[in-house]
Amino acid sequence: RQLAAVMRGLEDALAQDAWTPTPTQRDATAVIHKASYSIAEIKNVRDLDDFCKNLAVGIVNVVNAKPVDARVLAAMRPKPLAGAPVEVTHDGPPTLAELSAQVPQLASISVPLRQQLQSLAQEAAQEKEGGPLYQLLSQSISLARGLQSNTAVGAQSRTQIESQLAEGIALYSDPRTRDAGKSRIDSLAQYRQMLGRIGKMSLTKTQMDQFGPALTWAQANGDQGLKLLATIEKYIDTCAKWDAAPRDTTVLPSVKRALDDLMGQFAKQRAGFMADAARVGPTTPADLEGRLDELKRLAAVVDDVAAAGVSIDIINSFKIRPMGTIEKKVTTFALAAAVPTRTPARNDADKYLDSVHNLGDLAKQLNSRSLTDVPPAVLQAWAGGKLDAVDAKWKSIIVDLAGGLIAGSIDLDKAKVARLGTVMALTESLKTAAHLEAALPKTAPLVRWVDWGLEPAILGQLLATYRDSTANAFASYALDNQDGVERWSRNMSRYLPLIAIIIRDAEYAEPCSALPIGFPGDLARLATPLEGVPFGTERFMNYGISFWTIFEKQGDYENADRISQTVGKRLARDLRINTGEDNGGGRRRR
């Protein structure tokens, strides 16, 4: 596509006057002629970059009597904006110097192992940064730090691992026994992975001491040990959320006693988990998992009971009749949920309290949504004038769900809850549409950008399809026609990421406006490299949408659909956005 644009420009330039080539121009035609025979030698993107650049320089010298340097061809992409998210983020690995500095600090490991680490650090210094010896040193120091702190390892196991690690390094250092050394070190991978998982838990010294026996047991017991480690990770997460949760002092008076009992049970179960973890062996991983399940249940029920007053007030604001029935049921079920023994009645109580909390949250979210910042023209085009009908429909669903809780149901109807979630997704789509409509007029200069390259007309055609689908979804929702809503929901996964990148990249309109146009711009685009440069997301979108629209134009809707899904997934991944495919609504308590 870029080459075709350049050739059209070249033909136009040469057609303007009778062409009498200068020596420079003759040399340039020879460069182009020679390039036509080197296409088969292109093996990768870097080769293609070099080929295109040389070709662009040859063509620009064909149309200029005096030699032109490649540096006059502008780089046809803007610089990343300050504060713009990078496409790949990660913590940089330690340098070789940083790793080498850690070796003398490992004073508590065996002398043979420390000597082998020192020798390995010296050998690694002779190779390129990040080479095989660097990788081995990084892995070995990670293991040695765990051994020094006796993390998840008993005395006998520690001696065995130290010996195996030292022998593995020694064998690896000799090219004749390198494979044997690598095999010995690789066999310690499970311990290294365990150290990594323990590190991510960010345990305090007290917690490390408390969990020491359990971690040691986990390291020595294969799959059962990994299962135990996963239970400990979930326990730490559950307790962290409990400690960080705000405690509302305005609790419904009728559930105060039940709430105090539940919180006391949580503290007791928490202490019991730690006591059991300190004597793993007699206590099994299954015992600890049972403790964890009860902790998670108690944390969820406490959350439900503490929020009961607010939930009931919100539900009652919809003029639910008879008044007071849900509050009476909540009081009864809160007392049943606080019973320490598992019974069918307690299970029912848990479900009912969760349902009330869930319905209250849904009603609150829907009541608080606001579209005041969305221009009327956008509301008309994207909602089709059906906002009032949709509002009436979701309010009637709230009343129906509350009526079910009054009549004796302990669970919310999942289909109706999902419909409330759809309303929230539809509302968000209107807010997004407002941002999109504001961004679209700015996108015209982006066509000059080599990584973007999409004509505004192509974007307009794609987005018109989604706009019509959204308006149809509002009409379908008001009429209880699920087919139209489901079609729109499926489209969201491919269109939301596209809209997000359009809104983001509209900020590049000003720097793109400074890029050259016409034949100079076409030449510069051909010469601009694609290997190892920013904006890979935009390039993928550019190519993907091109294929998407080509297939649609040809009537090949199956491949068009497949390509559009692929583009949507890639953009969603790179932009780290939720496509809203799961908009079932409600709280995810467990």
Side-chain angles (χ1 to χ4, degrees):
R1 185 168 57 184
Q2 293 172 3
L3 184 56
V6 166
M7 293 309 298
R8 287 194 297 270
L10 175 60
E11 290 169 354
D12 291 344
L14 295 181
Q16 291 179 10
D17 298 299
W19 188 55
T20 304
T22 65
T24 295
Q25 291 170 317
R26 289 196 190 93
D27 291 342
T29 59
V31 168
I32 297 171
H33 180 71
K34 182 178 179 181
S36 68
Y37 290 94
S38 65
I39 293 175
E41 299 173 7
I42 296 173
K43 304 299 182 185
N44 51 49
V45 179
R46 187 171 299 170
D47 292 345
L48 184 60
D49 279 342
D50 293 340
F51 172 84
C52 290
K53 182 178 180 180
N54 292 334
L55 192 59
V57 172
I59 292 173
V60 77
N61 277 297
V62 165
V63 297
N64 284 276
K66 295 182 179 179
V68 176
D69 190 271
R71 287 174 292 185
V72 305
L73 297 174
M76 296 294 283
R77 65 168 51 92
K79 294 181 180 179
L81 294 172
V86 294
E87 292 167 12
V88 179
T89 58
H90 56 82
D91 294 326
T95 65
L96 177 60
E98 290 170 337
L99 288 175
S100 299
Q102 293 182 37
V103 176
Q105 300 171 9
L106 300 169
S108 299
I109 61 174
S110 68
V111 173
L113 176 56
R114 189 163 59 253
Q115 290 174 340
Q116 289 298 334
L117 288 170
Q118 290 170 340
S119 176
L120 178 60
Q122 293 170 359
E123 292 179 30
Q126 306 304 314
E127 70 173 9
K128 185 178 178 181
E129 185 87 24
L133 293 176
Y134 165 88
Q135 300 295 336
L136 179 65
L137 181 64
S138 178
Q139 295 174 6
S140 301
I141 286 180
S142 175
L143 288 165
R145 284 202 305 266
L147 294 169
Q148 174 165 270
S149 60
N150 290 316
T151 302
V153 65
Q156 184 176 356
S157 295
R158 170 175 173 162
T159 301
Q160 292 174 348
I161 293 174
E162 282 188 336
S163 177
Q164 184 174 338
L165 181 56
E167 291 173 4
I169 295 172
L171 290 169
Y172 191 91
S173 299
D174 188 333
R176 296 168 298 178
T177 56
R178 179 153 295 176
D179 288 344
K182 186 176 184 302
S183 177
R184 293 203 179 195
I185 295 171
D186 286 347
S187 66
L188 299 173
Q190 181 176 330
Y191 180 55
R192 189 171 64 252
Q193 292 168 3
M194 180 167 288
L195 289 174
R197 290 174 65 176
I198 293 171
K200 289 179 181 178
M201 285 191 267
S202 301
L203 300 176
T204 64
K205 185 179 184 306
T206 300
Q207 288 174 321
M208 281 295 297
D209 292 340
Q210 291 172 324
F211 282 121
L215 297 174
T216 300
W217 188 93
Q219 193 277 324
N221 284 274
D223 291 341
Q224 284 295 308
L226 293 176
K227 184 177 180 181
L228 173 61
L229 186 61
T231 300
I232 294 174
E233 288 171 332
K234 293 172 184 175
Y235 166 83
I236 294 294
D237 182 59
T238 299
C239 290
K241 290 177 180 177
W242 173 271
D243 293 337
R247 299 297 174 214
D248 191 351
T249 56
T250 59
V251 177
L252 191 68
S254 60
V255 301
K256 182 69 169 61
R257 181 166 65 88
L259 182 62
D260 290 342
D261 287 346
L262 288 163
M263 295 181 72
Q265 289 176 42
F266 185 93
K268 184 177 179 180
Q269 287 289 339
R270 186 174 186 173
F273 186 99
M274 295 300 299
D276 285 349
R279 51 188 181 87
V280 173
T283 301
T284 67
D287 294 332
L288 282 175
E289 195 168 358
R291 289 271 194 189
L292 174 64
D293 288 343
E294 181 61 10
L295 277 169
K296 290 164 69 176
R297 185 196 78 85
L298 288 166
V301 175
V302 165
D303 187 30
D304 294 337
V305 174
V310 174
S311 299
I312 292 169
D313 287 344
I314 293 169
I315 295 170
N316 284 339
S317 69
F318 287 80
K319 300 180 180 179
I320 307 299
R321 296 290 183 272
M323 289 286 288
T325 305
I326 293 180
E327 181 174 346
K328 291 177 182 177
K329 284 179 171 287
V330 163
T331 302
T332 301
F333 280 124
L335 292 171
V339 173
T341 308
R342 180 183 298 176
T343 64
R346 193 183 77 170
N347 292 340
D348 288 348
D350 290 352
K351 292 178 181 179
Y352 189 87
L353 294 169
D354 181 52
S355 294
V356 171
H357 194 178
N358 201 359
L359 183 58
D361 277 357
L362 285 166
K364 180 180 179 180
Q365 291 174 47
L366 288 164
N367 260 339
S368 62
R369 68 197 179 107
S370 173
L371 295 172
T372 55
D373 294 337
V374 180
V378 174
L379 292 176
Q380 180 60 39
W382 287 77
K386 298 297 182 181
L387 272 178
D388 290 342
V390 167
D391 282 348
K393 181 61 64 175
W394 71 256
K395 289 176 182 178
S396 71
I397 294 174
I398 294 285
V399 173
D400 287 346
L401 289 171
L405 294 177
I406 290 172
S409 176
I410 60 172
D411 288 312
L412 298 178
D413 184 295
K414 292 181 179 179
K416 292 180 179 178
V417 169
R419 295 200 63 198
L420 295 179
T422 299
V423 172
M424 288 187 280
L426 284 168
T427 301
E428 287 303 313
S429 74
L430 295 178
K431 296 177 182 179
T432 302
H435 293 301
L436 172 67
E437 295 288 3
L440 277 175
K442 304 176 184 178
T443 60
L446 302 187
V447 73
R448 307 181 190 183
W449 178 1
V450 66
D451 307 304
W452 182 277
L454 290 170
E455 295 287 347
I458 293 177
L459 288 177
Q461 181 181 350
L462 288 176
L463 294 170
T465 301
Y466 182 60
R467 182 194 62 220
D468 294 344
S469 174
T470 304
N472 181 60
F474 273 89
S476 298
Y477 190 95
L479 296 172
D480 285 328
N481 176 9
Q482 290 304 300
D483 289 342
V485 175
E486 288 175 3
R487 281 196 299 272
W488 172 78
S489 294
R490 289 194 297 270
N491 283 335
M492 284 178 65
S493 63
R494 64 201 72 180
Y495 282 100
L496 285 185
L498 172 59
I499 291 171
I501 199 169
I502 291 171
I503 294 171
R504 186 186 79 173
D505 285 358
E507 298 302 316
Y508 287 103
E510 184 175 346
C512 285
S513 296
L515 298 175
I517 60 174
F519 187 40
D522 293 336
L523 279 168
R525 261 188 298 278
L526 186 64
T528 301
L530 303 180
E531 171 75 4
V533 291
F535 304 116
T537 303
E538 282 78 2
R539 286 191 293 280
F540 188 91
M541 177 191 67
N542 182 354
Y543 299 138
I545 289 181
S546 297
F547 284 116
W548 178 358
T549 54
I550 287 170
F551 281 127
E552 280 199 342
K553 188 175 181 180
Q554 294 175 345
D556 187 349
Y557 298 112
E558 181 179 347
N559 273 320
D561 185 67
R562 183 168 58 85
I563 293 292
S564 67
Q565 289 185 43
T566 302
V567 172
K569 288 178 181 178
R570 167 67 184 264
L571 296 184
R573 185 200 73 187
D574 289 1
L575 274 61
R576 296 175 176 84
I577 63 174
N578 184 346
T579 60
E581 288 183 282
D582 177 16
N583 58 26
R587 298 162 56 248
R588 297 294 187 264
R589 190 181 80 172
R590 296 184 178 87

